[in-house]
Amino acid sequence: MNDANDMTKYSLRSWVLVLALAPTILVGFLLGSYFTINRFYELEETLVDQASNIIEPLAIAAEVGLETKDFETSKRLITSAQLNKASLVEFIAIFDASNRVVVTSHHYKNHEMMRYDKPLDSMLRTELEQIGDSMILRSPIYKSSDAPVKGLEDNTPATRSDAKKIGYIAILINKESALLQQHRAGVIAFIIVMIGVQLNLFFTFRLLKNVTQPITEMVRVVAKIREGKLDTRLNGNLIGELDLLRRGINAMAGSLSEYHDEMQQNIDQATSDLRETLEQIEIQNVELDMAKKRAQEASRIKSEFLANMSHELRTPLNGVIGFAKQLLKTPLHSSQQDYIRTIERSATNLLGIINDILDFSKLEAGKMVLENIPFSLRETVEETVTMLSSSAREKELELVIDVDSGIPEELTGDAMRFNQIITNLVGNAIKFTDKGSVQLKFQLEKIIDDKVHLRCEIIDTGIGIDAQQQASLFQAFGQADSSISRRFGGTGLGLVITKRLVNRMGGQIGCYSEPDVGSTFWFSLPLNISQYPINNTVPLMSLEGKTILLFEPNTLSQHAIERMLQRWGLKVTLVKSTKQLEFITTQSQHIFDFALISCRAITASNDPAAVLSLAKKKIDNLLLISDCPEQEAFYSQLRPYIDKQISMPIGEKKLASSLLTPHSNIMSETLAAPTSVVPPAKLENLSVLAVDDNPANLKLIDTLLKELITHVQLADNGELAVKLAKERSYDLIFMDIQMPGTDGITATKQIRSNSANRNTPIIAVTAHAIAEERERISSSGMDGYLPKPIDEAALKGVITRWKTKPKFTHFDLRTLNWELCLTQANNKPDLALDMLKMLLKSLPETVEHIEAALASADNDKMLACIHKLHGACCYCGVPTTLALCQEIESGLKRGVPVEDVEPEILELLDELTKVESAANQVISQLSVDI
């Protein structure tokens, strides 16, 4: 990759120059060097050959003079030779066998360098010695004809043993001429190479002119085309493929120009179309904005209409239901009681229809707010189904509750809406079932990350629904068959409200059914597991190993009860008939700890009391399941033989409590207790102001309050209420909202600003039932909310709660807010206090674990501690702690190290200290009152 990038750094001109010149220069220098060096060697060899041709004849000729010691002749010989080759031979000397100079060609000051520095016997042939710019040749002189003929290249030693050296001759050769010729050859070779390079440069630049310049021009033209100058063209004729490239670029530019023109036309057309579309969209936006404003106005009018209708309908119903209940407290004969109960039931049904319409409207507008509070699953289910049991009992239906043992008891969610879902589905099942059974079955699907996924099935043996009619089940104001609404009544909103509630809670709902066989409605819901127990744990361990006799003819109820008993460790003996019961209780010697006998099972006997009398002898604790029609005379003859009476349906809580306390008062659990006048309770010593513009409602609340407190002051309008509030102080004020003139909210603000009741609890009494109205009431300075129709128990609860309003001044409400505690505990003070106590109890251990995780920088341990604390804070009204836990947990889940969230953790530890102090104050002040 780097090589490719390096190649793009250099231009084509540079590459051509490099690739053309480099080989030429390299080859030229190599050839020039080769021939020059070769010439040098040739001249050197020629010079040596010339010197050899001079010295060797002289060596032969000098033998006579040296042998006869005729040095004069030898001198003339060598002098003549030196003068004859003066340009080549610079000096000649003859040495004898003793290596002494015998004769020289002329006087030479450095003749000593001519001397052979080795033994003469080692000189076998003519030898060469290089000295600077000169060279010395030495050749041995042999006696007579004994001397072998040897040259410089002859390596063969003398073969004759009698050959005798009498001396040697040395010649000093001058190399100046040879060196001059060598330099001349080098210069000529360099000149030839340079000429070759010049020729190569000439042709290279000619090539560049014909190749690189056109290519550069093409690059320039392509750049202009890229800039949008599509009319640019390449001109002239080029060589070879470059001309083809020129034509291709010109053709490309022409095509691009055509495409550009066509595209511009399309853009102009699209722009024109878009401009028209934008104008239409602008018009539509204006229309949509107007429609939106009209829709918002319609929604506001609808909300106001619903609020007003709720108030207008609930206001008279408040009087009807309230005075009907009050009338039932007075001595009446049976027909009058029946009439009053009919009035109360009719008014209650009408109230249910109103509630359905309001719920549907809130769901349709997306304004239904779901709570997230802890609740007990089995207790909630049992309470809900128990309220519907009277309808099932009237139709002699078997109503069964079957809850999977793997489902946790303590969950969090909207318990009220959960009740509403069960009530709608079970109520429909009872309504459309004439005989048989209705079974409410809960199954555990899975548990993931502290979240339980439940599946609930409501199985009935009713009229069933065909496949075509099932499609319209969950539609508003519709039922499977229009004739059904006439036969059974109802608005047709129950299922659609149920479906939307289930969907809002993150679940699903469905149905499968067969005509004349029955229906199964199912829904699945995800609910969070509560980290703290809500109710005291039932000591079921004490039942383990006990024996129990179960006589229940209904198969579904029998199986459900048997599974519960076996799960608790009891030894169950099933009874199929009264004869088997009589046999076991008379013939068997075994004594049972418990017996659970259905009332319906023993009615088949001619004398049920006798059957129970015999059975009681072998049973320590006999419990009777009251599933027969209400007949007080029938139950009165059975009571002497039974220890406890249990009404259907039987859930885990009810059955466990009955087995653990089998000797509680039977009379309190009878199904047909006679109506009697309730004795007056002890009145609270309180002074209460009640404000309402409706005379009937004012009279009703006056009647209800006088049964609970000692002093009641009435006001039929807001102005009078403000005046009375300025004159005296009250313990509690009940304020109607919708009144002519000064309404309840305005009156509340005036009382709060200037009166003797600035800190007095003011409770809104209103028929408004939508969330916006409740929020407006809460923000106006009122402390509580009491809906119409007024329920006596709810009224008593409000008085109990607010008769001593708690005031906490020693800590910040962001640290601990008791009102928020109550809201998160579904306005149950005892539950809110228990949750706060559990949080307080867990704080020391939690702080210890957080500090340990912080010291060890353990992300996983810290995340587990904060997650557990976060779950506990959700139900205890500690806003600052909750926010810090959420921030720290979010950071740790993103992988942030503990060190990075250390400031927040230290702040959390400080806040937990404040929470501990505040919780102690609240618990000490409220425990006695609650």
Side-chain angles (χ1 to χ4, degrees), residues 9-202:
K9 294 179 180 178
Y10 304 101
S11 65
L12 178 62
R13 179 184 181 88
S14 301
W15 279 107
V16 172
L17 287 173
V18 171
L19 295 177
L21 289 177
T24 303
I25 295 173
L26 180 62
V27 171
F29 276 106
L30 288 175
L31 289 176
S33 300
Y34 171 74
F35 287 112
T36 301
I37 295 172
N38 191 45
R39 180 61 177 164
F40 283 1
Y41 281 112
E42 287 179 356
L43 291 174
E44 185 80 20
E45 290 176 359
T46 302
L47 183 62
V48 172
D49 289 342
Q50 290 178 357
S52 297
N53 292 334
I54 295 172
I55 194 173
E56 289 176 358
L58 288 177
I60 296 172
E63 178 265 332
V64 177
L66 187 61
E67 180 71 24
T68 61
K69 298 186 184 300
D70 186 3
F71 300 123
E72 188 64 26
T73 302
S74 298
K75 182 175 180 62
R76 286 195 303 271
L77 176 64
I78 61 176
T79 300
S80 176
Q82 190 266 330
L83 292 176
N84 188 34
K85 297 291 184 178
S87 60
L88 179 62
V89 179
E90 185 177 353
F91 178 69
I92 301 174
I94 297 174
F95 295 86
D96 59 10
S98 300
N99 205 13
R100 292 178 301 199
V101 178
V102 177
V103 66
T104 61
S105 61
H106 61 277
H107 177 74
Y108 187 70
K109 59 181 179 179
N110 292 326
H111 66 272
E112 286 296 327
M113 70 178 181
M114 305 292 286
R115 192 183 307 275
Y116 189 58
D117 55 359
K118 297 179 181 178
L120 185 59
D121 293 338
S122 64
M123 185 183 300
L124 301 178
R125 56 184 175 82
T126 303
E127 294 184 1
L128 174 64
E129 181 182 359
Q130 299 283 354
I131 299 176
D133 292 339
S134 303
M135 61 182 178
I136 300 174
L137 272 72
R138 299 181 183 91
S139 181
I141 300 174
Y142 292 93
K143 181 181 179 181
S144 298
S145 60
D146 294 337
V149 180
K150 294 193 269 268
L152 286 173
E153 302 301 326
D154 189 0
N155 295 324
T156 304
T159 58
R160 294 178 59 180
S161 59
D162 55 353
K164 183 180 180 182
K165 299 182 184 70
I166 59 175
Y168 63 91
I169 184 171
I171 298 177
L172 180 63
I173 302 298
N174 187 1
K175 294 172 58 178
E176 291 181 358
S177 177
L179 290 175
L180 181 61
Q181 291 181 13
Q182 288 178 345
H183 293 162
R184 186 181 295 113
V187 171
I188 292 172
F190 178 76
I191 291 172
I192 293 172
V193 171
M194 292 306 296
I195 292 172
V197 172
Q198 292 295 328
L199 290 175
N200 182 267
L201 282 174
F202 172 77

Side-chain angles (χ1 to χ4, degrees), residues 305-358:
F305 171 76
L306 288 174
N308 293 332
M309 286 300 298
S310 170
H311 185 274
E312 295 301 327
L313 291 173
R314 287 170 180 268
T315 297
L317 281 176
N318 180 48
V320 173
I321 296 174
F323 280 112
K325 290 181 178 180
Q326 289 299 110
L327 194 57
L328 283 173
K329 298 177 182 179
T330 62
L332 299 171
H333 56 72
S334 59
S335 60
Q336 290 174 329
Q337 290 182 7
D338 183 54
Y339 298 155
I340 298 301
R341 287 195 178 96
T342 302
I343 293 173
E344 183 185 7
R345 282 197 298 269
S346 299
T348 303
N349 290 337
L350 179 58
L351 182 62
I353 294 173
I354 295 172
N355 290 335
D356 283 346
I357 295 174
L358 290 173

Side-chain angles (χ1 to χ4, degrees), residues 239-255:
I239 60 174
E241 287 81 359
L242 292 178
D243 195 61
L244 294 177
L245 183 59
R246 177 187 65 83
R247 295 176 184 177
I249 292 175
N250 289 339
M252 179 190 68
S255 299

